[in-house]
Amino acid sequence: MNAEEVGDGRLIRLSGTTICWARQIVFGLVCLLASAVHAREIADLLTTPMIDPLLTRPMVLDEGSVLPGDAYPPPCLELTVWDRASEREPLSLSRAVDLALCHNPQVKSAWAAIKVQASALGEARAAYLPTVSASASRVTDQTSYPGSKTASTTLHSNTKSANLNWRLFDFGGRDANLESANALLLAAIASHDAVLQKLLSNVITAYFDAQTAQTTVVARRKNESLAKQILDASRRREVRGAGSQTDTLQAGTALAKAALELSRAQGASHKALASLVYALGLPIGAQPVLAEDLLDTENRMRQVLDHWLAETRAHHPILVAARAQLQSAKEKVAANHAEGLPTVDLTGSFFENGRPNQSLTTTKTQETMLGVTLNIPIFDGFSRTYKVRAAQAHVEQKEAELQENEQQVLLEVVKAHAEASAALENLAASQKLLSAAQEAVSSMQRKFDRGAADILEILNTQTALSDAQQERIRCLADWRAARLKLFSTAGQLGRGTVGQWIPIEGKMVPGFLDNAVESVSEQ
């Protein structure tokens, strides 16, 4: 019994010692890691004490990118925890756009690319400034003579040196590299704008798809309610002897069909909402409540096609980036030419107690050197020739890419303009069709109430109203998509464009079945 207690105690003491050693090891690793991080911070502070000494950081990095048609950059909304309270607040289109612009990884990558090119511009500007270096050494030279009466000697020397190199003149090499870096920075900014245009298009498309799907659900629910009211009216007519059982069965079939269409619409709505949640970066499973339906009353789309083509050719970010890349390629040709031309460098050096890597002397010395060097490239095995030829071919490649991008973008604008024009005409026609169908349902309902119409006639008018309803929803969706595509292909999407969609008034969508349902409910 005592042995077991002693044994248990030893195990406990051994376990405690092990835990103690483990804690010390973990603590040591943490301290080592903290020291390494601290050392990196110190090294960064010593080697790069200034953030942007040559002022290469573009204003867009500090002020933000302003989208076409906007006066201010889009705000960055923090993605807080998505809870039930967030789901109860309507998610407007503008807020959805702001969330996506702030948290999309493609936007962050394009933003970092601007910083990379800004740093490359800084390197090009640094070529105009001198470089200065210094060194110091403490050397001890001890010489002994084994087997000899000669006493050993010890020599101490402190060596210091400083060097300055400054390129005073070249034949445009640095200028060409600087212009190339400037062009690439402009291309990176334009590429970032192109990413924003694509993201805006995707988010707005997903938002309107979800909103159209929800509008369809509401309309199908109204249609089901109308079918149910017709079934109730048919049953009352059958009880009074004014109708037959066949009429009631047909009305029941229409109700079942309306319920099936409602179920399908609800499934499509859930799918569209899930796609929107993914596009915005919200937690999977979130159920945001969308703001009320939107309609576009803006008439810029009616501008002539030549205006759209001119605006696209001048301001589309893809074409702006392609032209900047072409200009950079041309500057690279000039830079490669300049490498084969003479350069003039200024060199200054100071040495105390000898130069580095030289033998030590017992005499204290100081040496100052100042020189101007003329470098004349004579022959390099024709390597520079092929570098220039490659750069010239790169220019031809960029010219072809610019031409291809311009033709493709302008073709998309022509097609989008035609689609938007047709969609706008269809929008007006669908409203006339819907109004006619509503009047037909109201008239047929009055005839059905007086016994002047049978069940087939009222069911046919109900079907026609349902078809007109779907055409209206489809035309609204086509118009939104066509208008969005036109602004997107022209590179003119902005938050101001989003603000031009306003809430629908007058219960046109989805409440355009209200009158018909109220008419049947009075039976």
Side-chain angles (χ1 to χ4, degrees):
M1 186 68 177
N2 293 334
E4 292 179 358
E5 292 178 355
V6 172
D8 292 342
R10 290 176 179 176
L11 289 177
I12 294 175
R13 287 195 296 272
L14 181 60
S15 177
T17 303
T18 304
I19 294 175
C20 181
W21 278 102
R23 289 176 177 174
Q24 293 180 0
I25 293 175
V26 171
F27 179 75
L29 292 175
V30 170
C31 293
L32 181 62
L33 180 61
S35 300
V37 173
H38 187 62
R40 287 195 297 267
E41 293 178 353
I42 294 177
D44 182 72
L45 181 62
L46 292 176
T47 56
T48 56
M50 302 178 66
I51 297 178
D52 186 21
L54 299 182
L55 305 178
T56 62
R57 182 180 176 90
M59 295 179 61
V60 66
L61 292 179
D62 298 321
E63 299 180 358
S65 179
V66 179
L67 295 168
D70 295 349
Y72 304 98
C76 184
L77 299 181
E78 294 297 331
L79 189 60
T80 56
V81 178
W82 193 259
D83 52 15
R84 295 296 179 185
S86 302
E87 293 183 356
R88 287 192 296 269
E89 297 178 1
L91 178 64
S92 63
L93 177 58
S94 59
R95 184 169 182 266
V97 166
D98 292 340
L99 284 172
L101 289 177
C102 183
H103 300 285
N104 187 273
Q106 293 180 353
V107 175
K108 294 181 179 180
S109 177
W111 193 255
I114 298 178
K115 297 180 180 180
V116 172
Q117 292 303 327
S119 300
L121 176 60
E123 293 183 18
R125 289 184 180 179
Y128 290 89
L129 300 179
T131 60
V132 180
S133 62
S135 65
S137 63
R138 166 73 175 178
V139 180
T140 300
D141 186 1
Q142 184 175 6
T143 305
S144 59
Y145 305 92
S148 174
K149 296 182 178 180
T150 305
S152 59
T153 60
T154 302
L155 180 63
H156 300 281
S157 177
N158 295 322
T159 303
K160 302 175 184 177
S161 65
N163 294 280
L164 179 145
N165 293 288
W166 194 356
R167 175 154 295 183
L168 300 179
F169 177 78
D170 61 12
F171 281 85
R174 292 176 295 178
D175 293 342
N177 287 326
L178 180 62
E179 293 300 325
S180 176
N182 272 317
L184 289 179
L185 178 58
L186 292 177
I189 295 175
S191 298
H192 176 263
D193 293 340
V195 171
L196 293 182
Q197 291 288 307
K198 182 179 179 181
L199 176 63
L200 275 174
S201 178
N202 293 338
V203 171
I204 296 175
T205 298
Y207 187 90
F208 279 144
D209 286 346
Q211 195 171 63
T212 299
Q214 290 188 358
T215 301
T216 302
V217 170
V218 175
R220 291 303 186 188
R221 187 173 289 114
K222 295 287 186 180
N223 191 45
E224 182 189 35
S225 178
L226 176 60
K228 189 173 182 180
Q229 297 294 338
I230 293 176
L231 176 60
D232 293 339
S234 299
R235 287 173 177 172
R236 288 194 295 269
R237 283 166 54 90
E238 182 182 357
V239 171
R240 297 197 306 262
S244 64
Q245 184 180 12
T246 302
D247 295 344
T248 304
L249 293 176
Q250 289 178 343
T253 302
L255 176 59
K257 181 180 179 181
L260 176 60
E261 292 174 347
L262 173 59
S263 178
R264 289 175 176 173
Q266 288 174 338
S269 177
H270 292 327
K271 182 179 179 181
L273 192 61
S275 299
L276 176 62
V277 168
Y278 175 79
L280 299 182
L282 298 179
I284 301 301
Q287 297 291 327
V289 177
L290 304 185
E292 57 182 314
D293 204 358
L294 302 174
L295 179 66
D296 177 25
T297 60
E298 211 272 330
N299 292 320
R300 285 182 60 193
M301 200 286 302
R302 295 184 181 274
Q303 294 172 344
V304 295
L305 179 60
D306 292 341
H307 171 80
W308 284 101
L309 294 179
E311 288 292 322
T312 302
R313 187 180 286 108
H315 303 294
H316 198 288
I318 292 180
L319 301 184
V320 173
R323 283 193 287 267
Q325 291 173 355
L326 173 60
Q327 182 62 31
S328 174
K330 291 180 179 180
E331 296 296 340
K332 282 296 183 182
V333 175
N336 289 328
H337 277 301
E339 289 180 1
L341 299 176
T343 60
V344 179
D345 296 334
L346 173 66
T347 303
S349 301
F350 171 78
F351 304 100
E352 183 176 287
N353 298 333
R355 299 187 180 186
N357 301 320
Q358 288 185 346
S359 59
L360 304 181
T361 61
T362 58
T363 304
K364 183 177 181 180
T365 63
Q366 288 185 345
E367 179 183 3
T368 302
M369 182 180 67
L370 182 66
V372 178
T373 304
L374 174 65
N375 301 304
I376 304 176
I378 297 178
F379 181 71
D380 59 358
F382 304 108
S383 64
R384 187 171 295 104
T385 300
Y386 292 102
K387 288 179 65 177
V388 172
R389 298 294 177 265
Q392 291 172 341
H394 191 59
V395 170
E396 296 178 3
Q397 184 182 28
K398 291 300 180 182
E399 288 176 344
E401 290 179 0
L402 174 59
Q403 182 180 4
E404 180 183 4
N405 289 334
E406 184 171 327
Q407 291 179 348
Q408 183 177 0
V409 169
L410 295 182
L411 176 61
E412 291 297 324
V413 171
V414 172
K415 292 163 56 177
H417 187 271
E419 292 176 0
S421 299
L424 188 58
E425 298 298 329
N426 295 338
L427 194 64
S430 67
Q431 179 60 48
K432 295 179 181 179
L433 175 62
L434 179 61
S435 299
Q438 289 175 338
E439 294 177 0
V441 168
S442 299
S443 176
M444 188 57 63
Q445 180 57 39
R446 289 191 294 268
K447 291 182 180 180
F448 183 74
D449 184 43
R450 296 193 302 266
D454 58 19
I455 189 65
L456 292 179
E457 291 176 319
I458 193 171
L459 290 180
N460 288 337
T461 54
Q462 178 198 3
T463 301
L465 177 60
S466 178
D467 293 341
Q469 161 199 345
Q470 285 303 110
E471 287 297 332
R472 180 60 178 171
I473 295 175
R474 184 180 298 111
C475 288
L476 279 171
D478 291 344
W479 161 239
R480 289 164 178 163
R483 182 187 187 280
L484 172 63
K485 184 177 180 181
L486 178 59
F487 276 89
S488 178
T489 53
Q492 298 185 25
L493 270 181
R495 297 182 70 252
T497 307
V498 174
Q500 291 164 4
W501 274 290
I502 64 174
I504 289 180
E505 297 177 353
K507 290 188 176 180
M508 182 173 61
V509 177
F512 46 69
L513 280 179
D514 290 345
N515 294 334
V517 174
E518 291 174 0
S519 177
V520 176
S521 300
E522 295 174 355
Q523 305 302 320

